[in-house]
Protein backbone atom coordinates (compact mmCIF):
# COMPACT_ATOMS: atom_id res chain seq x y z
CA UNK A 1 0.00 0.00 0.00
CA UNK A 2 1.56 3.34 -1.04
CA UNK A 3 2.05 5.99 1.62
CA UNK A 4 0.83 9.55 1.29
CA UNK A 5 3.53 11.93 0.16
CA UNK A 6 2.84 14.89 2.38
CA UNK A 7 4.53 16.86 5.11
CA UNK A 8 2.94 18.93 7.85
CA UNK A 9 5.11 21.55 9.55
CA UNK A 10 4.05 23.01 12.88
CA UNK A 11 6.20 26.12 12.64
CA UNK A 12 8.74 27.31 10.05
CA UNK A 13 11.27 30.07 9.42
CA UNK A 14 13.07 30.74 6.14
CA UNK A 15 16.10 33.03 5.86
CA UNK A 16 17.36 34.17 2.45
CA UNK A 17 20.34 36.43 1.67
CA UNK A 18 21.24 38.49 -1.40
CA UNK A 19 17.94 38.02 -3.22
CA UNK A 20 18.02 39.66 -6.67
CA UNK A 21 14.50 40.81 -7.61
CA UNK A 22 13.23 40.92 -11.22
CA UNK A 23 13.52 44.72 -11.38
CA UNK A 24 17.19 44.60 -10.40
CA UNK A 25 17.00 45.48 -6.71
CA UNK A 26 19.11 43.29 -4.42
CA UNK A 27 17.43 42.55 -1.08
CA UNK A 28 20.17 41.86 1.45
CA UNK A 29 18.10 39.83 3.88
CA UNK A 30 14.63 38.22 3.71
CA UNK A 31 13.00 36.31 6.54
CA UNK A 32 9.58 34.76 6.56
CA UNK A 33 7.88 32.24 8.71
CA UNK A 34 4.61 31.01 10.05
CA UNK A 35 2.65 28.11 11.43
CA UNK A 36 0.75 25.16 10.01
CA UNK A 37 2.51 24.65 6.67
CA UNK A 38 1.14 21.71 4.66
CA UNK A 39 3.04 20.31 1.65
CA UNK A 40 1.85 17.60 -0.76
CA UNK A 41 4.23 16.19 -3.38
CA UNK A 42 2.15 15.21 -6.40
CA UNK A 43 0.74 17.47 -7.57
CA UNK A 44 2.76 19.99 -5.57
CA UNK A 45 0.48 21.80 -3.15
CA UNK A 46 1.72 24.16 -0.43
CA UNK A 47 -0.79 25.68 1.94
CA UNK A 48 -1.01 27.39 5.29
CA UNK A 49 -4.09 28.30 7.32
CA UNK A 50 -2.98 31.89 7.81
CA UNK A 51 -0.36 34.24 6.31
CA UNK A 52 3.13 34.15 7.75
CA UNK A 53 5.28 37.09 8.76
CA UNK A 54 7.61 38.70 6.19
CA UNK A 55 10.61 40.92 6.91
CA UNK A 56 13.04 42.23 4.29
CA UNK A 57 16.11 44.47 4.65
CA UNK A 58 17.72 46.47 1.82
CA UNK A 59 21.03 48.08 2.75
CA UNK A 60 22.42 51.42 1.64
CA UNK A 61 24.91 49.84 -0.79
CA UNK A 62 22.16 47.79 -2.46
CA UNK A 63 19.98 50.89 -2.83
CA UNK A 64 22.87 52.85 -4.39
CA UNK A 65 23.68 49.96 -6.76
CA UNK A 66 20.03 49.83 -7.88
CA UNK A 67 19.86 53.59 -8.44
CA UNK A 68 23.15 53.60 -10.38
CA UNK A 69 21.79 50.87 -12.66
CA UNK A 70 18.52 52.77 -13.25
CA UNK A 71 20.12 56.25 -13.52
CA UNK A 72 16.83 58.13 -12.97
CA UNK A 73 16.72 61.64 -14.47
CA UNK A 74 20.24 61.13 -15.84
CA UNK A 75 21.77 61.07 -12.36
CA UNK A 76 24.81 58.90 -11.59
CA UNK A 77 27.36 58.15 -8.84
CA UNK A 78 24.62 57.60 -6.24
CA UNK A 79 25.44 57.41 -2.57
CA UNK A 80 22.69 56.55 -0.08
CA UNK A 81 22.62 57.07 3.67
CA UNK A 82 19.70 55.79 5.74
CA UNK A 83 19.36 57.65 8.99
CA UNK A 84 16.72 59.08 11.33
CA UNK A 85 13.82 57.60 9.35
CA UNK A 86 14.89 59.17 6.04
CA UNK A 87 17.03 58.40 3.02
CA UNK A 88 19.75 60.92 2.21
CA UNK A 89 20.69 60.53 -1.44
CA UNK A 90 23.61 62.20 -3.20
CA UNK A 91 24.24 61.92 -6.93
CA UNK A 92 25.86 63.73 -9.83
CA UNK A 93 24.03 65.33 -12.75
CA UNK A 94 26.08 66.44 -15.74
CA UNK A 95 24.95 69.60 -17.51
CA UNK A 96 28.14 70.81 -19.22
CA UNK A 97 29.81 70.30 -15.84
CA UNK A 98 29.16 67.88 -12.99
CA UNK A 99 26.57 69.21 -10.53
CA UNK A 100 26.12 67.56 -7.16
CA UNK A 101 22.52 66.75 -6.31
CA UNK A 102 21.30 65.94 -2.80
CA UNK A 103 17.84 64.77 -1.79
CA UNK A 104 16.09 63.78 1.40
CA UNK A 105 13.45 61.12 0.75
CA UNK A 106 10.80 59.32 2.75
CA UNK A 107 9.16 55.98 1.97
CA UNK A 108 5.53 54.91 2.25
CA UNK A 109 3.40 51.86 1.54
CA UNK A 110 0.47 52.29 -0.85
CA UNK A 111 -2.43 49.81 -1.08
CA UNK A 112 -0.47 47.24 0.94
CA UNK A 113 1.45 46.32 -2.24
CA UNK A 114 3.62 49.22 -3.41
CA UNK A 115 6.66 50.94 -1.95
CA UNK A 116 6.65 54.61 -2.93
CA UNK A 117 9.40 57.22 -2.62
CA UNK A 118 8.53 60.83 -1.78
CA UNK A 119 11.00 63.67 -1.96
CA UNK A 120 11.10 65.88 1.10
CA UNK A 121 13.79 68.22 -0.18
CA UNK A 122 16.22 68.54 -3.09
CA UNK A 123 19.24 70.67 -3.75
CA UNK A 124 21.25 70.78 -6.99
CA UNK A 125 24.26 73.08 -6.78
CA UNK A 126 22.27 75.41 -4.53
CA UNK A 127 19.04 75.41 -6.59
CA UNK A 128 15.94 73.71 -5.20
CA UNK A 129 14.22 71.65 -7.94
CA UNK A 130 11.93 69.49 -5.83
CA UNK A 131 8.92 69.59 -8.21
CA UNK A 132 11.01 68.69 -11.27
CA UNK A 133 12.68 65.76 -9.53
CA UNK A 134 9.42 64.55 -7.94
CA UNK A 135 7.84 64.54 -11.43
CA UNK A 136 10.72 62.35 -12.68
CA UNK A 137 10.35 60.09 -9.64
CA UNK A 138 6.60 59.75 -10.21
CA UNK A 139 7.44 58.06 -13.53
CA UNK A 140 9.31 55.26 -11.74
CA UNK A 141 7.12 55.00 -8.61
CA UNK A 142 6.36 52.51 -7.25
CA UNK A 143 9.96 51.44 -6.91
CA UNK A 144 8.75 48.09 -5.60
CA UNK A 145 5.45 46.27 -6.18
CA UNK A 146 4.95 43.02 -4.32
CA UNK A 147 2.21 42.04 -6.80
CA UNK A 148 5.02 41.08 -9.24
CA UNK A 149 6.05 38.12 -7.10
CA UNK A 150 4.84 34.52 -7.28
CA UNK A 151 3.48 34.55 -3.74
CA UNK A 152 0.45 36.17 -2.18
CA UNK A 153 1.99 38.86 -0.02
CA UNK A 154 1.23 42.25 1.43
CA UNK A 155 3.32 45.07 2.84
CA UNK A 156 2.29 46.44 6.22
CA UNK A 157 4.98 48.98 7.05
CA UNK A 158 8.37 50.35 6.11
CA UNK A 159 11.04 51.70 8.40
CA UNK A 160 14.20 53.55 7.42
CA UNK A 161 16.84 52.77 10.00
CA UNK A 162 20.56 53.33 10.22
CA UNK A 163 22.11 51.35 7.38
CA UNK A 164 19.06 50.65 5.23
CA UNK A 165 15.36 50.03 4.78
CA UNK A 166 13.32 47.43 6.63
CA UNK A 167 9.98 46.23 5.18
CA UNK A 168 7.38 44.29 7.16
CA UNK A 169 4.45 42.34 5.77
CA UNK A 170 2.68 39.00 5.41
CA UNK A 171 3.12 36.16 2.94
CA UNK A 172 1.02 33.15 2.00
CA UNK A 173 2.18 30.20 -0.13
CA UNK A 174 1.18 30.36 -3.83
CA UNK A 175 -2.33 29.12 -4.55
CA UNK A 176 -2.46 25.75 -6.25
Amino acid sequence: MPHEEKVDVGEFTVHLRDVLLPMGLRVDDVRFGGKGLHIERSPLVISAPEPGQLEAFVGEASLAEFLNAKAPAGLRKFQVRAKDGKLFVDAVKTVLVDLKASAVCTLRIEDGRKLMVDIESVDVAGAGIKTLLQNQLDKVNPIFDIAEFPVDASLDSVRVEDGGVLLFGHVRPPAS
Side-chain angles (χ1 to χ4, degrees):
M1 177 177 202
H3 61 282
E4 290 186 54
E5 295 179 335
K6 68 177 186 168
V7 174
D8 287 309
V9 179
E11 197 169 316
F12 67 95
T13 302
V14 177
H15 184 187
L16 307 170
R17 293 184 188 259
D18 295 324
V19 178
L20 185 59
L21 300 178
M23 83 284 270
L25 177 64
R26 181 172 307 281
V27 180
D28 297 277
D29 196 73
V30 178
R31 296 173 191 258
F32 59 92
K35 297 179 180 179
L37 190 66
H38 177 78
I39 305 168
E40 294 181 27
R41 181 174 180 200
S42 184
L44 180 61
V45 175
I46 303 172
S47 61
E50 60 188 51
Q53 298 293 315
L54 170 68
E55 184 177 307
F57 177 79
V58 182
E60 296 165 330
S62 295
L63 289 168
E65 178 185 322
F66 176 71
L67 290 169
N68 279 311
K70 294 293 180 188
L75 294 165
R76 58 187 177 80
K77 295 185 181 178
F78 280 90
Q79 294 180 332
V80 177
R81 291 178 329 282
K83 187 173 180 171
D84 300 327
K86 298 178 183 178
L87 292 176
F88 297 85
V89 182
D90 294 322
V92 173
K93 173 79 174 174
T94 303
V95 183
L96 297 176
V97 295
D98 284 350
L99 301 174
K100 184 177 179 183
S102 298
V104 178
C105 303
T106 56
L107 301 174
R108 65 183 163 86
I109 303 293
E110 187 174 283
D111 301 327
R113 315 278 298 159
K114 301 172 184 172
L115 179 61
M116 309 293 280
V117 176
D118 295 316
I119 294 178
E120 190 172 286
S121 65
V122 175
D123 185 67
V124 178
I129 58 167
K130 179 179 177 184
T131 303
L132 177 64
L133 198 52
Q134 184 66 55
N135 288 341
Q136 289 293 317
L137 190 57
D138 287 343
K139 294 176 185 175
V140 296
N141 261 334
I143 60 165
F144 177 82
D145 189 343
I146 203 142
E148 297 174 6
F149 294 92
V151 293
D152 179 17
S154 63
L155 297 174
D156 299 328
S157 64
V158 59
R159 187 171 71 217
V160 178
E161 57 183 35
D162 290 356
V165 175
L166 198 52
L167 288 162
F168 298 94
H170 288 87
V171 64
R172 183 183 295 276
S176 45

